[in-house]
Amino acid sequence: FPALVLPTVGYPELEGCIAEKVTEMGLVNHAPWILKVIQLYETQRVRHGMMTLGPSGAGKTMCIYALMRSMTQMGQPHREMRMNPKAITAPQMFGRLDVSTNDWTDGIFSTLWRKTLKIKKTEYVWLILDGPVDAIWIENLNSVLDDNKTLTLANGDRIPMSPNAKIIFEVHNIDNASPATVSRNGMVFYVCFCLELRSYHKSLAR
């Protein structure tokens, strides 16, 4: 459809908050990168599971921080819980069942997951998994990412997702993720050429 012109949606209040927070954080207000912040905002409005996908240095972490602070300024307090799932084993992440005593020990992720259920109704929390995707642990989250929104543990516990929580994967690539996992997430793709060399120069000059 060569003659079709797509309508552009603007968020004047959000864009103003983003510009203010970017300056406060000492970053450069670079239009292509700001667009990624807007895309992440639009994605989180329709998805409870998201992936910020791109190489190191593409601005993924700062994009998340800028959006969270901007939304906080708009009256929606946001905070994060961050972990690296690749740095630990699957039992350390989700929990371990002692076969001799039948005692259950929660893992790091399951502990954070339970904490999200205790936040106030007026607050929002983003659970950020910052590290390489591994099929060993990410396949266990398929029930979280689909419409069930439920974490199922080895001891039989089924923990629902907090309505004020989001789960974000901050990854370099998705080579080890199955199509089932990828299709359950909203994707925001970051590339290094979004940040031009002059942007780095401006940042260093400060």
Side-chain angles (χ1 to χ4, degrees):
F1 307 101
L4 183 64
V5 178
L6 293 176
T8 56
V9 179
Y11 306 94
E13 183 183 1
L14 176 65
E15 290 170 6
C17 291
I18 291 173
E20 183 179 335
K21 292 302 174 182
V22 164
T23 304
E24 284 182 11
M25 295 165 66
L27 304 176
V28 176
N29 197 334
H30 186 55
W33 183 80
I34 297 296
L35 178 61
K36 293 299 176 183
V37 183
I38 300 295
Q39 289 175 357
L40 183 61
Y41 171 74
E42 293 176 333
T43 304
Q44 65 88 33
R45 293 182 67 185
V46 296
R47 295 278 191 163
H48 63 277
M50 297 168 282
M51 282 191 177
T52 55
L53 177 64
S56 298
K60 302 188 297 294
T61 302
M62 289 296 105
C63 180
I64 293 171
Y65 286 164
L67 179 57
M68 290 178 68
R69 294 181 184 184
S70 300
M71 295 176 72
T72 298
Q73 183 169 324
M74 292 169 61
Q76 301 174 5
H78 278 69
R79 60 190 179 92
E80 68 163 10
M81 296 180 182
R82 183 179 291 265
M83 63 171 290
N84 182 355
K86 189 64 174 177
I88 54 178
T89 63
Q92 289 172 335
M93 181 173 178
F94 295 106
R96 180 174 58 87
L97 184 65
D98 193 322
V99 293
S100 59
T101 63
N102 209 32
D103 288 336
W104 173 257
T105 304
D106 264 327
I108 296 173
F109 181 83
S110 56
T111 300
L112 296 177
W113 191 258
R114 293 182 196 274
K115 284 184 178 180
T116 62
L117 295 171
K118 299 177 182 178
I119 62 174
K120 298 177 182 178
K121 292 183 178 180
T122 56
E123 294 181 349
Y124 299 83
V125 61
W126 287 4
L127 188 51
I128 302 173
L129 304 183
D130 186 359
V133 169
D134 194 325
I136 294 175
W137 60 265
I138 200 168
E139 293 299 327
N140 294 329
L141 296 178
N142 281 349
S143 62
V144 170
L145 298 171
D146 63 18
D147 291 338
N148 293 319
K149 299 183 181 180
T150 303
L151 177 65
T152 305
L153 301 176
N155 67 339
D157 283 357
R158 291 173 57 83
I159 311 171
M161 187 176 196
S162 168
N164 290 357
K166 304 281 186 186
I167 182 169
I168 302 180
F169 303 93
E170 191 175 331
V171 299
H172 183 189
N173 58 61
I174 50 174
D175 294 346
N176 295 322
S178 67
T181 301
V182 174
S183 64
R184 286 170 164 85
N185 285 279
M187 295 283 180
V188 180
F189 183 59
Y190 297 75
V191 286
C192 284
F193 59 75
C194 273
L195 299 175
E196 298 174 355
L197 196 57
R198 59 185 174 185
S199 299
Y200 290 105
H201 289 164
K202 288 180 181 178
S203 182
L204 291 172
R206 293 183 178 181

